[in-house]
Amino acid sequence: MTAAVSLSPAWAIVGGIATTGFGAVGNGVQITPNWVLTAHHLGLGVGSNFANAFGSAEVAAVYSAPGAGFPAHDLKLLRLDAAHLFRGEIVVDGQ
């Protein structure tokens, strides 16, 4: 017996419109002015340079998921030494 699996495309929001037309994330996603969520397997560490459209900054600290590896637990948080200019609105605790 085999089960049919239906896969849906991944969705992103670009300019307020849902789309499947987006490229690779690159070396991480800036989630606040000085925090980046990235993949552990990319190898970014303290002293590495993180850059995106907002600017660049040196990685000051790294926090990996327990048992980090690929493909399971492939997460890492980077704390940047300087905050990037951030065009998004940051909401903390619903405020």
Side-chain angles (χ1 to χ4, degrees):
M1 177 187 338
T2 59
V5 177
S6 174
L7 298 177
S8 299
W11 288 93
I13 303 295
V14 177
I17 300 169
T19 180
T20 58
F22 57 98
V25 170
N27 61 354
V29 176
Q30 184 178 353
I31 56 177
T32 69
N34 57 329
W35 286 94
V36 173
L37 179 63
T38 187
H40 178 80
H41 77 269
L42 292 178
L44 293 171
V46 173
S48 296
N49 185 58
F50 175 81
N52 64 13
F54 302 117
S56 65
E58 188 173 301
V59 176
V62 173
Y63 303 91
S64 295
F70 182 80
H73 312 290
D74 193 26
L75 296 174
K76 185 185 285 187
L77 279 172
L78 309 176
R79 184 175 54 80
L80 305 178
D81 69 345
H84 285 197
L85 295 175
F86 194 75
R87 295 181 201 142
E89 181 177 319
I90 299 171
V91 178
V92 178
D93 296 329
Q95 302 296 318

